[in-house]
Amino acid sequence: MEKIAFIGLGNMGGPMAANLVKAGYTVTAFDLSAAALEQAVSHGCTRGESAHQAAAGAEVVISMLPSGDAVKGLYLGARGLLQALAENTLIIDCSTISANDARQLIAAANERELRAVDAPVSGGTAAAAAGTLSFMCGGDEGAVDAARPFLQAMGANIFHAGPAGSGQVAKICNNMLLAIHMIGTAEALQLGVDNGLDPAVLSEIMKASSGGNWSLEKYNPYPGVMESVPASNGYAGGFAVALMLKDLGLAMDTAAGSASSTPLGALAKNLYQLHGSSEESRALDFSSIQNLFRRPAGN
Ligand code: NAD
């Protein structure tokens, strides 16, 4: 079995690394946070003292980091990881970053005779723990095929979206659409409630009608309509408003780069910006956008 280095063991990376261990791989892990690293060690990873030490002798390096700057800081530059990896090492970056940053990383890796793919994920922390993530890959076919066995140990669906950066483009298209239909669903539910309808009854009607969509079917934003979703748990857990704002920012940057019209994406970003104006609201699940439409009692 190949030796894997896993860098970035947060909410997503921690359980992903644990699933690679469960699949029988030897995983040497590193995170700037001692607590995150400790947690990964308790799940069977070997402790890396630094990213370089974790990657020494690894045939595969997987990263799951918060931003493009963190990814570029890890791999690029005179002291970056690319300079230290053996020829033909496979790099799988699962972080959500801009397509341009992903292309820059993959081009720099290819220049050094290293294989690399962008492989951002959809599914959130529950899917990361269950090993049922969806991976959207960008890169050449050989590199994506080489990445498949490792991705299969962490996920249920693996898509090859196209050349380098395409995984990131697919990811932000999906999340922009998710934001738009979540906001539309919250708006429609509130209109019904304000006019005397039970949100559960209205949800059933719309699910069976032309307004049906994923937010309504799987992730109802109105409290009490659906069990086991963040809306019925004070909007705790799930996918934070802050992360949705990050993805909508990446979508808008990408749209600017391709001169694409994304008026609903821009409006969705503005509404999430308004809703996430405090640290507290940015930490809530993104379905809490419902609160933007709800009226104080008595109005
Ligand atoms: P997180 O903040 O929980 O974890 C990131 C980890 O990276 C932290 O433990 C941090 O200490 C570590 N880190 C940062 N810079 C580092 C470096 N240079 N070297 C080593 N470690 C470093 O974030 P997360 O929720 O796990 O998200 C990771 C990525 O996955 C993000 O790009 C996010 O957009 C994406 N994502 C998250 C979710 C989700 O539901 N949380 C869903 C899909 C995609």
Side-chain angles (χ1 to χ4, degrees), residues 61 63 75 89-95 102 105-106 109-110 114-120 136-148 151 160 162-165 167-168:
V61 179
S63 42
Y75 289 107
T89 304
L90 175 65
I91 294 166
I92 306 174
D93 179 46
C94 299
S95 325
L105 167 65
I106 292 174
N110 291 163
L114 304 163
R115 298 168 298 163
V117 296
D118 52 299
M136 309 169 200
C137 303
D140 65 52
E141 193 134 17
V144 173
D145 282 346
R148 271 180 207 282
L151 300 180
H160 185 187
Q168 300 294 350

Side-chain angles (χ1 to χ4, degrees), residues 13-26:
M16 289 164 70
N19 280 329
L20 288 165
V21 171
K22 272 190 214 149
Y25 291 106
T26 301

Side-chain angles (χ1 to χ4, degrees), residues 17-18 20 28 59 82 87 91 121 127 137-138 162 189 215 235 241 258 279 285 298:
L20 288 165
T28 306
E59 286 123 319
L82 292 191
E87 207 172 283
I91 294 166
V121 309
C137 303
L189 284 170
S215 293
Y235 297 110
V241 167
S258 54
E279 209 168 297
D285 176 72

Side-chain angles (χ1 to χ4, degrees), residues 7-13 30-33 36 64-66 70 95-96 121 124-125 171 238-239 243 246-247:
I7 317 292
L9 307 156
N11 294 324
M12 297 293 289
F30 178 69
D31 195 293
L32 293 176
S33 149
M64 191 52 163
L65 297 174
S95 325
T96 302
V121 309
T125 51
K171 164 83 186 170
F239 184 56
L243 287 176
K246 170 191 160 181
D247 291 357

Side-chain angles (χ1 to χ4, degrees), residues 198-209 216 220 225-226:
D198 178 335
V201 172
L202 178 56
S203 294
E204 285 310 306
I205 294 170
M206 293 196 294
K207 271 199 291 189
S209 307
L216 203 50
N220 198 299
V225 171
M226 200 175 259

